[in-house]
Amino acid sequence: WSLPNAEHYALQYADGRQTYITESNRREIKNGSILRLATSPDQEAQRLYNGIQSKNVDVKTDSLKKLASLSQDVTFAQEFISRNGLKQIYSIVEEGNDTGEMLTHTLKAFTELMEHDFVSWENLSTVFIKKIVSYVNMNTVDASIQQLSLSILENMVPTSRLFFELVKKEVTLDRLLTHLQVTNAQLKAMALLIALLLTATDAERRDMMDYLREKNIRQFIHKNIIHSSEPLGDEMAHYLYVLQSVSLNLCEHRMRTSMDPYSQEQRELLQSLRQAAFESESEVPASNYSTERRRSLCAKEFRKLGFMNNSNPAEDLRRAPPGLLALDNMVYFSRNTPNAYSRFVLENSSREDKHECPFARSSIQLTLILCEILHIGEPCSETAQAFYPMFFGQDHFFEELFCICIQLVNKTWKEMRATQEDFDKVMQVVREQITRTLALKPTSLELFKTRVNVLNYSEILKLRQTERLHQEETLAVPVLELRERLKPELLELIRQQRLLHLCEGTLFRKISSRRRQDKLWYCRLSPNHKVLHYGDVEEGVHSPPIESLPEKIPVADMKMLLVGKECPHTKEKSSGKQNKDVLELAFSIVHDVEEYCLNFIAPTRYEFCLWTDGLNVLLGKEMMSERTQTDLDVLLSMELKLRLLDLENISIPDTPPPIPKPPSNLNFCYDFSHAEQ
């Protein structure tokens, strides 16, 4: 364009983020993008660098506002930082006492510039950090300043142990909990809380989680975040997943610790299991027996409890994981649900040996399964959002979940009529029951309990069979392609069948709003599919000739089809069981210029499906009834089986074989031109 001093100008997107066009991103310009000529990034950076040092408050504020906007652009950010622009921003924050618009733009610009990772967070001064902390702790400061300050602290905490300790000391957990209760600061406060928890040592994390538990953070999240009127965003879902993960990982230490047979405390826990199950029923206390007799009795009782090594049950708990966590769960179950515990143990100790469900062995394996499903001991994913709403709805979540699932093991064991040899199979089914139920995201443990118990062994077998059939049918890509190719042809066949049915006609009953009347009427489509004929008929007449039906509606005058509640004749009816049945069978044709309705009550659901499909075909619309899908599935299945009959036991490749090269010459072809002469 022959501009003087062309290097002082640059192209910039006119919409959206207004990024500068450079050599590196020029190929990303899409056709139709609007660009504008602007001052080059280095000139703009210099201008704003001078502007933010101005003594004039308005110039300074405007410069900071523009800086906050342009700092998103990497080219501009590089130019501004190279002029030591960040130092000026530090001094505005450190020296300024302003908490208004100017500070908002300053913090926004700082956040955007730091996003580009040209400068390390570790370069920040303690004075700057304390100033940011003071904005978080102020009650009177603007909400946007608090959000930006929380965001800055969140980014800063993981970069240095010194920063972590400073922020943890200055911004108390109580202060963060206060911010959590303010809707617009909730997300940033949660982000900082998560950053602090992830940066803390194991001991610090445990102390912080204990304090948060005392402050009922779980109940607050369950009530005000998960069940709030606002939908849960992806970012908050991720923070809740991390909080759940951090909380569950507090069990990791116990999970990785084997039982110490010489620990008095652990031995007492083990003995408490035996005493809770058997000592209440024994009239003579065990202390009255000789040592040998007492040892023999204890071994017998531990065997009934389901320990494999009944003379030294501590050996069963040497495997880690699940280690001591399995013992904790068993003790929790015996103390918090004593009736269920006694019933489990006594019921199985009185069964035949081969059919008894071993409580201890099942508990150890179940604890391991729950640790794997809930990813205990695994680091948090940086992107996952898969938290369980019921986790925040229950104290002692892991233990309570165990109590439900150990009773599920016993139930499934009985349903499968299992023996000791089937132990692994039973646990596999239980794992599937738990995983499938958790995938439904139940909102409470009660709901989980209901759903997991409904999903019994026979349901699991049905689901497995359905999935296997589905898998077999859709194994090869060519089979899927063939299926899609056959669909239009078979749908046309279904359309023809529906229209033929309408041509044969159907006998309908009239229903008045006062009482059921035995008046009958007949409706059928003309053979050329252009007119619907209908009229009253006498009882006993099954297929009246088309000439005897006086009324008619040209198909061209039909406007639309109404079904169920939309029909005018169902709106007049009172509620009741009969009305519910009528609703499922009612449909109406809106016709003519004045929009008259011809109202139908189909005699059966089958007739309803055929008529609504046929009328939709006449109106040029898709067939929507469930019968269409069933018929299509049956026809597709039959057609596929017929087509693939010769390919039995032959594996179908995913890609077609390569086409061979054409021959070098075509002299082998017969020349018909000579024969014709």
Side-chain angles (χ1 to χ4, degrees), residues 65-80:
K65 185 178 182 180
K66 183 85 169 148
L67 178 63
S69 168
L70 284 175
S71 296
Q72 296 178 13
D73 183 85
V74 65
T75 317
F76 171 83
Q78 212 163 358
E79 292 289 347
F80 186 78

Side-chain angles (χ1 to χ4, degrees), residues 273 307 317 326-334 359-360 363 402:
L273 285 175
F307 284 95
L317 294 158
L327 179 61
D328 294 343
N329 281 339
M330 287 190 276
V331 170
Y332 185 92
F333 181 53
S334 69
F359 169 72
S363 297
F402 171 85

Side-chain angles (χ1 to χ4, degrees), residues 24 59 116 121 208 290 322 335 371 507 524 579 641 670:
S24 58
V59 173
H116 298 294
W121 287 88
M208 287 168 77
S290 65
R335 288 176 181 171
C371 288
L507 202 61
R524 67 191 300 174
N579 188 37
K641 281 173 184 169
Y670 183 74

Side-chain angles (χ1 to χ4, degrees), residues 32-308:
S33 297
I34 301 171
L35 306 179
R36 70 168 174 218
L37 191 66
T39 319
S40 65
D42 59 329
Q43 292 289 312
E44 197 65 40
Q46 186 61 50
R47 190 175 70 79
L48 293 179
Y49 178 71
N50 295 333
I52 63 174
Q53 296 177 66
S54 170
K55 302 290 181 199
N56 185 322
V57 176
D58 290 339
V59 173
K60 192 172 184 177
T61 306
D62 287 344
S63 299
L64 284 165
K65 185 178 182 180
K66 183 85 169 148
L67 178 63
S69 168
L70 284 175
S71 296
Q72 296 178 13
D73 183 85
V74 65
T75 317
F76 171 83
Q78 212 163 358
E79 292 289 347
F80 186 78
I81 290 168
S82 69
R83 285 167 171 71
N84 216 355
L86 275 173
K87 194 174 179 183
Q88 288 303 319
I89 289 179
Y90 296 156
S91 62
I92 291 171
V93 173
E94 288 170 12
E95 294 163 15
N97 295 315
D98 177 65
T99 54
E101 189 185 1
M102 189 190 290
L103 181 62
T104 307
H105 297 318
T106 309
L107 296 179
K108 180 90 173 76
F110 171 77
T111 309
E112 293 293 351
L113 290 166
M114 293 302 283
E115 281 288 315
H116 298 294
D117 282 340
F118 293 133
V119 180
S120 169
W121 287 88
E122 292 177 35
N123 296 342
L124 299 179
S125 68
T126 311
V127 179
F128 179 85
I129 296 167
K130 285 196 171 176
K131 200 78 179 171
I132 299 292
V133 165
S134 72
Y135 299 141
V136 171
N137 288 334
M138 269 187 211
N139 289 323
T140 54
V141 78
D142 188 69
S144 57
I145 293 174
Q146 286 199 328
Q147 285 181 47
L148 288 162
S149 302
L150 286 164
S151 183
I152 291 167
L153 295 181
E154 177 225 337
N155 286 308
M156 193 169 49
V157 161
T159 59
S160 150
R161 179 71 197 171
L162 188 71
F163 289 171
F164 164 76
E165 285 171 355
L166 179 62
V167 174
K168 182 173 177 284
K169 181 184 169 189
E170 298 289 338
V171 183
T172 61
L173 288 178
D174 279 331
R175 187 68 200 158
L176 277 179
L177 291 173
T178 308
H179 282 302
L180 267 181
Q181 291 168 32
V182 181
T183 311
N184 54 11
Q186 211 168 60
L187 190 65
K188 299 297 180 190
M190 184 64 88
L192 178 54
L193 176 62
I194 296 300
L196 287 166
L197 283 168
L198 290 177
T199 315
T201 62
D202 289 346
E204 286 170 336
R205 194 177 297 129
R206 191 175 290 278
D207 290 343
M208 287 168 77
M209 289 304 291
D210 286 344
Y211 185 79
L212 291 171
R213 199 177 295 117
E214 280 174 31
K215 294 290 177 181
N216 297 325
I217 189 171
R218 178 192 64 71
Q219 290 91 324
F220 174 79
I221 289 171
H222 190 255
K223 183 181 174 185
N224 298 317
I225 297 180
I226 295 174
H227 292 292
S228 76
S229 54
E230 295 294 316
L232 203 65
D234 291 349
E235 215 176 330
M236 183 58 89
H238 172 66
Y239 294 143
L240 293 181
Y241 152 78
V242 175
L243 191 61
Q244 170 187 287
S245 191
V246 166
S247 188
L248 286 170
N249 277 342
L250 296 177
C251 303
E252 185 184 0
H253 176 68
R254 296 291 281 180
M255 179 185 83
R256 300 201 186 282
T257 309
S258 301
M259 182 162 180
D260 177 7
Y262 302 106
S263 162
Q264 181 66 28
E265 181 199 351
Q266 291 170 23
R267 285 210 312 273
E268 282 173 5
L269 286 174
L270 202 53
Q271 288 299 332
S272 73
L273 285 175
R274 184 187 62 79
Q275 288 160 0
F278 301 110
E279 292 222 339
S280 57
E281 63 175 12
S282 170
E283 288 177 17
V284 184
S287 53
N288 291 3
Y289 294 124
S290 65
T291 310
E292 195 59 42
R293 175 92 173 86
R294 192 161 68 243
R295 194 175 294 150
S296 162
L297 187 66
C298 286
K300 187 181 174 187
E301 287 175 347
F302 277 124
R303 186 182 64 74
K304 284 182 178 180
L305 267 175
F307 284 95
M308 294 175 80

Side-chain angles (χ1 to χ4, degrees), residues 501-508 521-537 543-555 558 589 598 600 611 615 618:
H501 185 79
L502 264 63
C503 289
E504 286 171 17
T506 304
L507 202 61
F508 295 96
W521 65 288
Y522 202 85
C523 187
R524 67 191 300 174
L525 181 66
S526 64
N528 64 2
H529 302 168
K530 289 189 175 175
V531 183
L532 268 179
H533 296 265
Y534 65 97
D536 292 352
V537 292
S543 186
I546 209 158
E547 299 78 30
S548 66
L549 302 172
E551 306 287 338
K552 60 183 179 182
I553 300 173
V555 169
M558 284 167 43
I589 300 168
L598 180 61
F600 297 76
W611 269 86
L615 291 168
L618 291 173

Side-chain angles (χ1 to χ4, degrees), residues 415-452:
E415 286 167 0
M416 291 176 71
R417 297 187 180 84
T419 61
Q420 293 294 332
E421 289 76 39
D422 301 319
F423 180 80
D424 290 334
K425 285 182 191 171
V426 174
M427 296 314 289
Q428 207 174 346
V429 171
V430 168
R431 178 193 282 270
E432 199 172 329
Q433 288 170 313
I434 297 167
T435 311
R436 284 180 185 275
T437 309
L438 284 175
L440 300 171
K441 292 283 178 84
T443 49
S444 67
L445 268 179
E446 275 306 309
L447 196 56
F448 171 83
K449 185 177 182 179
T450 308
R451 285 183 175 171
V452 84

Side-chain angles (χ1 to χ4, degrees), residues 431-482:
R431 178 193 282 270
E432 199 172 329
Q433 288 170 313
I434 297 167
T435 311
R436 284 180 185 275
T437 309
L438 284 175
L440 300 171
K441 292 283 178 84
T443 49
S444 67
L445 268 179
E446 275 306 309
L447 196 56
F448 171 83
K449 185 177 182 179
T450 308
R451 285 183 175 171
V452 84
N453 283 317
V454 168
L455 195 64
N456 53 33
Y457 179 54
S458 59
E459 282 296 315
I460 289 286
L461 286 180
K462 279 182 202 166
L463 286 166
R464 283 178 178 177
Q465 189 179 7
T466 309
E467 284 165 9
R468 190 167 59 247
L469 287 170
H470 182 69
Q471 202 175 6
E472 283 170 9
E473 194 174 291
T474 59
L475 274 178
V477 177
V479 176
L480 276 177
E481 288 176 4
L482 176 61

